[in-house]
Amino acid sequence: MTQGPSAEPGVIDLLGLLAYAELGSFFRLADDAGLAPSLRTKGELAGLAATEQSHYQAIHDRLVELGVDPEEAMAPFIAPLDAWHERTEPQSWLESLVKTYVGDGIAGDFYRKVAELADAETRALVEDVLAETGRAEFVAGQVRAALEEDPKLAGRLSLWARRLVGEALSQAQSVAVDRPELAGLLSRGSERDKSGSGLGDLAAVSRMFASLTEGHTARLAAMGLAD
Amino acid sequence: MTQGPSAEPGVIDLLGLLAYAELGSFFRLADDAGLAPSLRTKGELAGLAATEQSHYQAIHDRLVELGVDPEEAMAPFIAPLDAWHERTEPQSWLESLVKTYVGDGIAGDFYRKVAELADAETRALVEDVLAETGRAEFVAGQVRAALEEDPKLAGRLSLWARRLVGEALSQAQSVAVDRPELAGLLSRGSERDKSGSGLGDLAAVSRMFASLTEGHTARLAAMGLAD
C-alpha cells in the first residue's frame, strides 16, 4: 500500500466517513421509496439516490488511487452512521426530504474540509461534488412549497431538523473519542498545523461541534424552517 | 401531447414497461442490501442499482420527448411487475444475483424488440443500454464463482431461476389479456405489420411467451445453471 504525500490519516478518515455516508444515504433514500407520494416522486427519489451512489463511487475510486483500502477507511464510521440512520428514520416524505437536505449540508461541510486539506486531485473531485447545487435547491424548493401549502408543518419539521442535528452531534461525540486525529483535524480550521494530531481534548471536540453545526441555521432558513 | 411518427401504442407500452421494470429493479436491488455479504458487495450492489436508475432516467426522458406522460405509460405495468417482485423475493445474495441476471436478460429481449420497432433516436438509446454488457458478465461471473466453490448450490439456484421465469410468464399472461396490442406486437416478429394490433388470441400470447423464454436457457448456461 503506497499513500500519496497528502494522504494524512485525518484526510483518509474524512474520505472514509464521506464514502460510507454517501453509501448509507443511497440505501436510506432507496428505502424511503414507500414514503414517496407518487410514481413521479419515486422516480425523483431514485435520481437523488443515484447521485449519492456516484459520489460514493468517486470517493471509493480515489481512495484506491491513494493506495488505501476503501472498506478499511469506511469501517470506523459504519456503527455511528448506521446508528444515526436508525435513530432518525423519516416517517413522511417531507421528513425524508429534510433529512436529505440536512445530511447533504453536513456532508458539504466535511467535503469543504477535505478540499482545504487534501491533495490537488482529491480537491478537484470534492469540488465537482460541491458544484452539484441543483439537487439541494430541488430539495429545499420541495420543502418550501409544502410549507407554503400548509404552514402548520413548519413547527414539526423544525423540531425534526433539530433532532437530526442533535443525533448527528451525539454520534460525532463518539467518533471524536475514537478518532482523536480526525477531531483534531476538524477543530484546526484551515491551517495545516499537524501538531494538532492526537488532540482529543474537550476544547477540540467542541470546536469540531461548532464546525459541524456551522451553516445549519442558514440551511434551515433555505427550507423555510426556524432554528 | 404530440407523438413522434413511430410512437405507436405498442412501442410506448414497451417503453413504459421497461421504464417501470428499471425503476422497480433499482428499488429491489437497493432493498437487497441486507443480503450483501460484505461492505464491498454492498457498494457493488449500489453500483448495479444506479445503472438501473440511469436506464430508467433515459427511457423516462425519451418518453417525455415523444410527448408521452411517463407515469401514464408506466401505469399498466405497476401491478404485474410489483406482483413479480413480491412473489420472487430473494432469500440470499446469490438468489438476488440470479434474479438480476434473469431479469436483465428478459429486459434485454424487450429492449431488442423496441430496437426493431421504434424510431431512430429511441433505437440509439436502446442500443446504448444493450451495449452495457460488463454488468451481466460481472453478475454471471459471481454466480459461476460461487458454484465452483459449492457445486451443490446449482440445483437450488436452477429451481430458483425456473421460478423467476415461471412467475414472469404468469404476470405476462395477465398483461397480454389487458394489453392485446402489446401482445400482438411482441408476437409479430420483426416485420412492421400493423394489422396485428388488437390480436389478443391464444396463439399470439403463446408466441409472446416463446419470445419471452427465448435465450433463457443460454443465460442459465452462462451462469453455470441447468434449465
Side-chain angles (χ1 to χ4, degrees), chain B residues 13-166:
Chain B
D13 263 9
L14 273 175
L15 290 174
L17 166 65
L18 283 166
Y20 193 70
E22 297 283 9
L23 189 62
S25 295
F26 168 85
F27 285 113
R28 196 270 304 172
L29 272 173
D31 201 42
D32 286 355
L35 302 172
S38 69
L39 183 54
R40 178 188 296 271
T41 41
K42 218 172 153 174
E44 286 166 349
L45 194 152
L48 295 180
T51 306
E52 313 274 18
Q53 191 278 332
S54 76
H55 295 170
Y56 160 77
Q57 195 66 55
I59 305 171
H60 176 280
D61 295 351
R62 184 66 197 140
L63 282 166
V64 171
E65 282 168 9
L66 288 169
V68 176
D69 181 322
E71 279 72 35
E72 263 178 47
M74 288 188 265
F77 307 105
I78 296 176
L81 279 162
D82 284 0
W84 185 65
H85 283 300
E86 270 161 39
R87 286 168 194 214
T88 58
E89 201 165 315
Q91 300 301 314
S92 71
W93 174 239
L94 276 175
E95 286 190 0
S96 171
L97 286 179
V98 170
K99 180 167 175 176
T100 301
Y101 194 78
V102 168
D104 278 6
I106 297 174
D109 290 343
F110 282 109
Y111 275 115
R112 269 180 287 274
K113 191 59 78 174
V114 173
E116 281 171 17
L117 298 163
D119 60 287
E121 259 185 87
T122 305
R123 187 156 53 242
L125 179 164
V126 165
E127 278 160 5
D128 280 352
V129 169
L130 289 169
E132 290 179 344
T133 54
R135 168 198 161 93
E137 278 158 27
F138 164 79
V139 173
Q142 296 264 95
V143 176
R144 278 198 310 272
L147 290 176
E148 268 163 39
E149 220 170 276
D150 184 0
K152 287 195 301 292
L153 291 170
R156 220 185 53 207
L157 287 177
S158 297
L159 273 178
W160 170 244
R162 200 175 304 159
R163 193 170 132 216
L164 289 168
V165 173

Side-chain angles (χ1 to χ4, degrees), chain A residues 55-71:
Chain A
H55 295 168
Y56 159 77
Q57 195 67 53
I59 306 172
H60 176 280
D61 295 351
R62 184 66 197 137
L63 281 167
V64 171
E65 283 168 8
L66 289 168
V68 177
D69 180 323
E71 279 73 35

Side-chain angles (χ1 to χ4, degrees), chain A residues 22-182:
Chain A
E22 297 283 10
L23 189 61
S25 295
F26 168 85
F27 285 113
R28 196 270 304 171
L29 272 172
D31 201 42
D32 286 355
L35 302 172
S38 69
L39 183 54
R40 177 188 297 273
T41 41
K42 219 171 152 174
E44 286 165 349
L45 194 151
L48 294 178
T51 306
E52 312 274 19
Q53 191 278 332
S54 76
H55 295 168
Y56 159 77
Q57 195 67 53
I59 306 172
H60 176 280
D61 295 351
R62 184 66 197 137
L63 281 167
V64 171
E65 283 168 8
L66 289 168
V68 177
D69 180 323
E71 279 73 35
E72 262 177 48
M74 287 188 266
F77 307 106
I78 296 176
L81 279 162
D82 284 0
W84 186 63
H85 283 299
E86 271 161 37
R87 287 169 194 213
T88 58
E89 201 164 315
Q91 300 301 314
S92 71
W93 174 239
L94 276 175
E95 285 190 1
S96 171
L97 286 178
V98 170
K99 181 167 175 178
T100 300
Y101 194 79
V102 167
D104 277 5
I106 297 175
D109 291 343
F110 281 109
Y111 275 117
R112 269 180 286 275
K113 190 61 76 173
V114 173
E116 281 172 17
L117 298 164
D119 60 286
E121 259 186 89
T122 304
R123 186 158 54 241
L125 178 163
V126 165
E127 279 161 4
D128 279 353
V129 169
L130 288 169
E132 290 178 345
T133 54
R135 167 198 161 93
E137 277 157 29
F138 164 79
V139 173
Q142 296 265 94
V143 176
R144 277 197 311 273
L147 289 176
E148 267 163 39
E149 220 170 276
D150 184 0
K152 285 193 303 292
L153 291 169
R156 221 186 51 207
L157 286 177
S158 297
L159 273 179
W160 170 244
R162 200 175 303 159
R163 196 171 129 214
L164 288 168
V165 173
E167 293 286 354
L169 291 177
S170 144
Q171 296 306 321
Q173 172 97 50
S174 75
V175 170
V177 172
D178 288 349
R179 316 292 289 183
E181 277 184 344
L182 178 59

